[in-house]
Amino acid sequence: MFLLVVAGIPAGSSPAGGTGPGTLRVLQMNLCNSGRAGCWTGRAVPRAAGVIAAEVPDVVTLNEVCRDDVDTLRRALAAVHPGSRIDAAFQAAGDRPSGAATRCVNGQPYGIGLLARLDAGGDRPEVHRGTYPAQDLADPEERVWLCLHAVAVLHACTTHLANTDGAVALAQCGQLVGAVVPAVRRAAGYAPTVLGGDLNLRAGGVPDVRSCVPPDYRRIDDGARQQIIATSDVTICCRRALDMAGSTDHPALLATLTVGGGAPAGGSTTAR
């Protein structure tokens, strides 16, 4: 999915509008764990748990996962943040032929997920989800989006866009940024917004991912199709691509975000 992705400010940080900026570590992963694709190894979820343990993110956006993978990785994130509540959300991709959910080989629903560290006493986030109106009709998988809202703090979203038709992926990206995010902000109230996901679009590609990202947004990528995008009131710093040891066909993408900290010295952090 597009970017993603933030659902809360860790304890000890200040959200936008508070007394100072809050800092978050955001981790995007495409785990290729359906069991159906050639990139499946059966090792991606344990490797992802190891990356979470080593990097201690606050927010994790997940693509190509089975439903129970999200709970497994929620427990991994909880283990590195004792005393915090970890909220999780999952959205199954649709299966056009059956009209039901796409399934992993193990029978579980297949799709995208979000994990977020919240203060132990915080309110439970609202979850927003949906299916894109634009779909590649040659692909039985119907692409979806997922957002969490932590009240008065942040909106975090994730998505996995069409991989078989660039024009459809671009239309889905435009729908997410131009319609979904504004609608979530109207429904849940204004908050800085971060999106993480495998957009199947790249900078300099045809089509170019930058054509669907507003000019005042911040964006980084893994050098390929995974993106982390944020509204202008979020500063993105210090991206790193993390080795997944051959367990999936994508590296993990890690970024540090500052909420409410203003633009960094020297200008935008947008990757080109």
Side-chain angles (χ1 to χ4, degrees):
M1 178 186 193
F2 189 98
L3 190 48
L4 87 33
V5 99
V6 170
I9 295 285
S13 298
S14 300
T19 58
T23 299
L24 294 167
R25 289 164 67 82
V26 177
L27 179 65
Q28 155 63 24
M29 294 188 286
N30 182 326
L31 298 184
C32 189
N33 205 42
S34 69
R36 296 180 286 106
C39 52
W40 179 81
T41 66
R43 298 183 286 108
V45 173
R47 177 64 181 178
V51 169
I52 288 170
E55 301 296 341
V56 196
D58 300 293
V59 176
V60 182
T61 50
L62 300 166
N63 301 158
E64 296 195 45
V65 291
C66 307
R67 183 180 57 198
D68 287 1
D69 299 338
V70 176
D71 192 54
T72 297
L73 296 176
R74 182 195 63 79
R75 294 193 297 270
L77 190 59
V80 298
H81 289 298
S84 294
R85 190 182 77 225
I86 306 300
D87 272 343
F90 172 80
Q91 175 63 24
D95 176 65
R96 186 175 300 102
S98 69
T102 297
R103 297 277 171 177
C104 295
V105 167
N106 62 15
Q108 295 172 19
Y110 161 88
I112 57 178
L114 276 169
L115 306 172
R117 174 192 178 195
L118 301 176
D119 290 341
D123 294 329
R124 183 167 298 279
E126 300 174 21
V127 178
H128 304 265
R129 48 170 58 93
T131 301
Y132 292 108
Q135 298 284 340
D136 179 5
L137 299 182
D139 181 1
E141 180 185 337
E142 295 183 322
R143 305 297 172 133
V144 294
W145 56 268
L146 175 66
C147 297
L148 283 176
H149 169 63
V151 176
V153 180
L154 281 169
H155 302 295
C157 300
T158 190
T159 192
H160 182 210
L161 302 185
N163 71 328
T164 47
D165 188 317
V168 172
L170 190 67
Q172 292 169 347
C173 179
Q175 175 77 15
L176 181 61
V177 179
V180 169
V181 168
V184 169
R185 291 169 123 176
R186 286 193 299 270
Y190 174 82
T193 304
V194 179
L195 167 63
D198 182 353
L199 303 192
N200 280 307
L201 297 165
R202 65 176 73 216
V206 180
D208 193 316
V209 67
R210 292 171 294 185
S211 66
C212 74
V213 179
D216 60 334
Y217 276 39
R218 315 297 175 87
R219 184 192 62 81
I220 63 166
D221 58 49
D222 63 352
R225 299 177 178 184
Q226 293 186 107
Q227 312 280 336
I228 294 176
I229 301 167
T231 49
S232 59
D233 42 9
V234 178
T235 299
I236 303 178
C237 166
C238 316
R239 72 175 179 191
R240 267 200 297 143
L242 305 176
D243 182 20
M244 294 296 285
S247 63
T248 176
D249 60 342
H250 293 73
L253 176 61
L254 179 70
T256 300
L257 277 59
T258 301
V259 180
S268 172
T269 58
T270 299
R272 296 293 179 186

